[in-house]
Amino acid sequence: MVDVAEKEMDNPTFRSDTVLSDVHLHCPSKRHLMVRLNAVGQPVFLSYFKLLWSTEDLASGKHVRETTTGRERQCRSGGELCDKDRSNIKKEGELNSEGVEALLDDDGDLEVVRRPRSASDLEAEDLLRDIVCPVILMKGREDAFEDEEQECTCSDVVKIEHTMATPLEDVGKQVWRAAFLLADYLLFKRDTFRCCSVLELGGGTGITSIIMGTVAKRVYCTDVGEDLLAMCEQNVALNKHLMEAGGGEVKVKELDWLKDEFCTDPEAPYSWSEEEIADLLDHCSVIMAADVFYDDDLTDALFRTLYRITHNLRNSCTVYLALEKRLNFTLRHMDVTCEAYSHFRNTLNDLENLQDGKMKYTVEPIKLDFCQFLVYERIEQL
């Protein structure tokens, strides 16, 4: 028994049942409306993501600069509030401790003077503190976004249904930061993608495909799982007006990287017709994927799927991959590492060095100095 216990302790395993995306903490919508429960009982939220562009000022970066200036004003005002708070606390501390060098409790420990709760409540409105995100609104408050709807036009808001936290196998139901990064690049280079036929692998909530659908002719947004694909299809429907202006469309389809063929079963939801497969292989010139490299086995499966599809395309194709390099402390290395990213890079190198006489892949990094058209935190690890 002791030997078994010691052996188990040599390889401890830590498990977490929940994965949380932090995008909702940085998005411009300060309120998240809970609209329903999905098929597996997870709460589904509706968030508004404001686009910082218009058809007139798309490439100028004007909206980005204006937003930055607004943030600077908020930071300055926030600093002033902090100074005010500190001065109030200092004054109250001096008043309460007049003639006493230090306040001690019954045990002799230092007793910190704190502002009375009633005073904090009375001054809350004067301090004009920002609302802490996210504030969750339950179903039935459909009027909760009326203020935002009045301020935003139909052409500068993307509505996305998503979940806040999920098990690892359902992370596609959340919105991830690399999807915003890729969407930024699509908006920045929109003329490059105009009238293209596009395939997205691991589309999740569909936000990147929706943005691409505003300029491309046709986008096949793919993932696996009926519940996830239903959510994605709902998001496409919510934002149909954005794509209709440019004549684009987004088709939600199932594509399982662990299978070698497209699903063509007419009885299966989100299956492919023979005409759609032929259209994809004949016209697809862009493939994209955002934040899908978190599991080594799935990374291997994605690259196999990527090779299989590009091998059958009639024309040359450009693949855009966006991801966040997530750093974790591992007991195996006793250091901060990023094993999922390292495996991704190694697999990408293998693809670039592939010599089969049929395909040639060239890998080029993209500088992240292009304009930001969505509000999120563009961190160094993207």
Side-chain angles (χ1 to χ4, degrees):
M1 291 296 293
V2 176
D3 292 340
V4 173
E6 289 178 350
K7 184 176 181 181
E8 289 179 352
M9 288 301 294
D10 289 338
N11 299 283
T13 301
F14 297 91
R15 305 190 63 173
S16 175
D17 295 331
T18 303
V19 180
L20 173 66
S21 167
D22 61 352
V23 163
H24 61 278
L25 298 177
H26 302 285
C27 72
S29 69
K30 293 184 179 180
R31 294 182 285 184
H32 302 266
L33 177 66
M34 178 179 164
V35 291
R36 61 185 173 86
L37 295 177
N38 61 19
V40 293
Q42 299 164 341
V44 177
F45 298 87
L46 176 66
S47 293
Y48 283 26
F49 298 97
K50 184 173 175 59
L51 294 167
L52 305 177
W53 58 271
S54 66
T55 53
E56 295 81 9
D57 302 312
L58 177 61
S60 66
K62 175 181 177 182
H63 288 71
V64 178
R65 289 194 293 273
E66 289 177 350
T67 302
T68 303
T69 303
R71 284 181 175 177
E72 291 173 354
R73 286 197 297 269
Q74 290 179 0
C75 291
R76 286 197 294 271
S77 62
E80 293 169 358
L81 291 177
C82 291
D83 292 338
K84 181 179 178 181
D85 292 345
R86 284 193 292 269
S87 63
N88 288 341
I89 295 173
K90 182 178 180 181
K91 290 178 181 177
E92 292 174 6
E94 292 172 352
L95 177 63
N96 293 334
S97 60
E98 184 177 359
V100 181
E101 293 183 358
L103 295 179
L104 305 177
D105 61 15
D106 295 337
D107 298 327
D109 299 322
L110 180 64
E111 187 172 31
V112 180
V113 177
R114 301 185 184 277
R115 181 169 54 192
R117 182 179 298 273
S118 58
S120 176
D121 293 339
L122 291 174
E123 293 182 4
E125 294 183 0
D126 295 333
L127 292 177
L128 297 176
R129 295 184 182 277
D130 291 335
I131 299 175
V132 178
C133 302
V135 176
I136 298 173
L137 304 173
M138 299 300 291
K139 186 176 181 180
R141 292 287 308 281
E142 282 80 2
D143 60 337
F145 288 111
E146 285 184 355
D147 295 338
E148 286 86 344
E149 289 179 341
Q150 292 175 0
E151 295 176 2
C152 305
T153 64
C154 293
S155 62
D156 63 5
V157 167
V158 179
K159 303 176 185 178
I160 296 293
E161 286 193 1
H162 61 98
T163 56
M164 291 286 193
T166 63
L168 183 62
E169 60 269 19
D170 285 336
V171 291
K173 297 175 182 177
Q174 299 186 56
V175 182
W176 298 93
R177 201 152 26 197
F180 286 110
L181 179 71
L182 182 54
D184 269 347
Y185 186 76
L186 302 181
L187 293 172
F188 180 67
K189 290 286 189 179
R190 62 188 289 120
D191 289 339
T192 302
F193 306 108
R194 198 174 298 279
C195 300
C196 287
S197 183
V198 182
L199 170 67
E200 181 174 14
L201 301 174
T205 62
I207 186 170
T208 308
S209 284
I210 290 169
I211 296 297
M212 177 64 93
T214 63
V215 292
K217 178 181 179 181
R218 183 173 294 111
V219 182
Y220 291 97
C221 181
T222 68
D223 215 308
V224 65
E226 184 176 349
D227 192 50
L228 171 59
L229 292 172
M231 175 187 289
C232 182
E233 189 174 52
Q234 169 67 6
N235 288 331
V236 172
L238 287 172
N239 298 279
K240 189 176 181 180
H241 60 282
L242 297 176
M243 295 164 282
E244 287 179 340
E249 67 171 337
V250 176
K251 291 191 173 185
V252 179
K253 297 294 176 181
E254 178 182 329
L255 184 56
D256 191 341
W257 306 339
L258 300 178
K259 298 180 179 179
D260 294 332
E261 300 294 338
F262 292 95
C263 177
T264 57
D265 182 2
E267 300 297 326
Y270 308 104
S271 63
W272 296 73
S273 67
E274 295 295 338
E275 292 78 10
E276 289 169 336
I277 296 176
D279 175 66
L280 175 71
L281 299 180
D282 289 343
H283 301 104
C284 180
S285 59
V286 175
I287 298 177
M288 59 183 185
D291 240 332
V292 295
F293 305 102
Y294 56 89
D295 178 88
D296 291 354
D297 292 336
L298 289 179
T299 296
D300 293 338
L302 182 141
F303 275 96
R304 288 195 299 269
T305 300
L306 192 61
Y307 174 79
R308 174 173 57 85
I309 292 176
T310 53
H311 178 73
N312 291 304
L313 293 179
R314 173 171 294 185
N315 304 307
S316 60
C317 179
T318 304
V319 182
Y320 296 91
L321 305 176
L323 70 157
E324 180 177 341
K325 183 179 180 182
R326 293 180 174 85
L327 303 175
N328 297 288
F329 181 86
T330 61
L331 292 175
R332 182 169 63 176
H333 298 283
M334 293 303 292
D335 196 3
V336 176
T337 63
C338 190
E339 295 183 326
Y341 176 77
S342 299
H343 185 78
F344 159 75
R345 289 295 308 181
N346 292 334
T347 310
L348 189 63
N349 291 336
D350 292 341
L351 188 68
E352 186 178 21
N353 296 326
L354 181 66
Q355 296 180 354
D356 62 355
K358 301 176 182 179
M359 300 288 295
K360 178 176 175 57
Y361 297 88
T362 302
V363 178
E364 297 180 4
I366 295 176
K367 293 183 179 180
L368 304 186
D369 56 356
F370 49 87
C371 295
Q372 186 167 335
F373 297 97
L374 287 154
V375 179
Y376 65 100
E377 186 181 15
R378 190 182 286 185
I379 60 176
E380 294 180 359
Q381 286 75 28
L382 284 174

